[in-house]
Amino acid sequence: EEIEILGISLERELFSRYRVLLLHLLKWCFQPERRSASWLRTIDNQRDEIGRLLEKSPSLRGKRQAEMSAAYPRARKDAAHETQMPIAAFPDACPFAIEQVEDETFWPEPPNPSS
């Protein structure tokens, strides 16, 4: 029972870290004029902590996509609130692949208005 509770707690942490990371990636992408060192640090920190969590609990690797997918709608809603942009300004589905989200060299660019 304790192991099950620990597993649930770790999944909840993974979800939460993806939520914060996706929120900041969305803000980085959709409000480039407001980019800050604080956003950069938050993105880097969340990526580091996700990596650390996966290193300490390899069994979570198979749950990465599910947790990220579950976190995206919440991150999208948070991004709309924090940016004061309409929620429709953000894609319905996550615009980033999990490999991009976790890649410390990936920094999304604003969407092309002509696309």
Side-chain angles (χ1 to χ4, degrees), residues 2-19:
E2 286 181 35
I3 292 173
E4 186 177 329
I5 291 170
L6 177 60
I8 291 168
S9 175
L10 292 171
E11 287 176 28
R12 190 174 302 129
E13 181 180 355
L14 187 61
F15 169 91
S16 178
R17 294 207 177 273
Y18 279 128
R19 180 180 176 183

Side-chain angles (χ1 to χ4, degrees), residues 25-36 39 79 82-85 90 110-111:
L25 287 173
L26 286 170
K27 292 190 319 183
W28 186 272
C29 185
F30 287 87
Q31 279 197 323
E33 71 283 358
R34 305 231 14 208
R35 290 176 182 171
S36 67
W39 289 1
E82 287 194 22
T83 63
Q84 298 182 349
M85 295 170 67
F90 302 97

Side-chain angles (χ1 to χ4, degrees), residues 12-13 21 31-33 39 45 58 60 68 102 105 115:
R12 190 174 302 129
E13 181 180 355
L21 177 53
Q31 279 197 323
E33 71 283 358
W39 289 1
N45 184 41
L60 288 175
M68 189 184 92
E102 294 175 353
T105 66
S115 323

Side-chain angles (χ1 to χ4, degrees), residues 19 23 26 71-87 90-91:
R19 180 180 176 183
L23 161 64
L26 286 170
Y72 180 74
R74 300 286 299 273
R76 180 178 180 246
K77 185 176 178 183
D78 292 345
H81 287 141
E82 287 194 22
T83 63
Q84 298 182 349
M85 295 170 67
I87 197 163
F90 302 97

